[in-house]
Amino acid sequence: MTALVTGSLVMAMGAAMAPLAQRIAEAHTGPAAPAPAVESLLCEGSADQPLILDQPVGSRPAKITGQANAALDDCVGGDGTLRSATVTMTGTGTVSCTDFSGYSVRAEVTWFDGPDQTGRQVGVSTLVPEGPEQGQVATAATLVPAGRVLDGPLESQKVTGGAVITPQMLACSDSTVRTMPRSFWLRFEP
């Protein structure tokens, strides 16, 4: 009987001391380290083919409609899980050689954890334009409107980007442009 009472007493004391032991251990190891900051994610993009506009763009604003399919590759940064993606984009807007305005663009980005759209699909993000005014771009040279991730991976992150400028685009103010370049880049930032 004494062994039973002694055993019960030891178990009860052990249960009572466990929280104290945990607090002592935490005091010696210090507070938990803060979570690492999320870095920006930068991806190179390439359209399946140059984006063909439904009408030429020149120095005068013109209302256009466009649709494109593209790939994002060589994604670096972030938490390392988003390495490549496919992109489907549709949009309309008023565009000239120097400005975008009054447009509506929506892009669906399907992410993969492997290079060249391989590996496991890890989610779908929806990108929409956003700036001080809906549809405003940071500079005319970027050619890709600033925006944000509406949902999916990288939700609420800011999106900026630009296109690789071609000689035809540099001559836009003297003539017209009917296609947009295939190569571009996108940056996603917290």
Side-chain angles (χ1 to χ4, degrees):
M1 175 111 168
T2 306
L4 182 60
V5 171
T6 303
S8 297
L9 184 58
V10 168
M11 287 175 49
M13 286 183 66
M17 297 297 286
L20 177 59
Q22 183 177 355
R23 284 196 304 264
I24 291 170
E26 288 172 357
H28 287 287
T29 60
V38 177
E39 0 176 324
S40 62
L41 178 70
L42 178 64
C43 299
E44 294 178 13
S46 178
D48 294 345
Q49 58 186 3
L51 174 62
I52 299 172
L53 305 173
D54 62 347
Q55 64 178 309
V57 172
S59 58
R60 297 178 136 188
K63 180 121 177 153
I64 63 160
T65 301
Q67 181 174 343
N69 294 315
L72 295 179
D73 288 305
D74 301 321
C75 296
V76 293
D79 65 4
T81 60
L82 305 176
R83 303 212 24 229
S84 65
T86 58
V87 181
T88 303
M89 182 198 73
T90 56
T92 62
T94 302
V95 179
S96 73
C97 294
T98 59
D99 195 22
F100 285 88
S101 64
Y103 61 81
S104 172
V105 178
R106 188 174 188 92
E108 299 291 328
V109 180
T110 303
W111 294 102
F112 296 89
D113 65 1
D116 304 318
Q117 299 73 52
T118 63
R120 185 175 57 91
Q121 182 179 323
V122 291
V124 178
S125 298
T126 304
L127 279 53
V128 294
E130 184 176 78
E133 297 176 21
Q134 182 68 18
Q136 181 177 352
V137 293
T139 67
T142 65
L143 300 177
V144 176
R148 70 179 172 90
V149 180
L150 186 62
D151 55 27
L154 307 175
E155 183 174 351
S156 300
Q157 288 202 5
K158 179 182 171 185
V159 182
T160 55
V164 176
I165 305 298
T166 64
Q168 180 188 16
M169 294 170 65
L170 293 174
C172 180
S173 58
D174 296 329
S175 61
T176 60
V177 172
R178 190 68 191 246
T179 63
M180 298 299 278
R182 293 180 57 192
S183 298
F184 63 97
W185 56 270
L186 290 179
R187 179 185 300 274
F188 300 84
E189 298 177 285

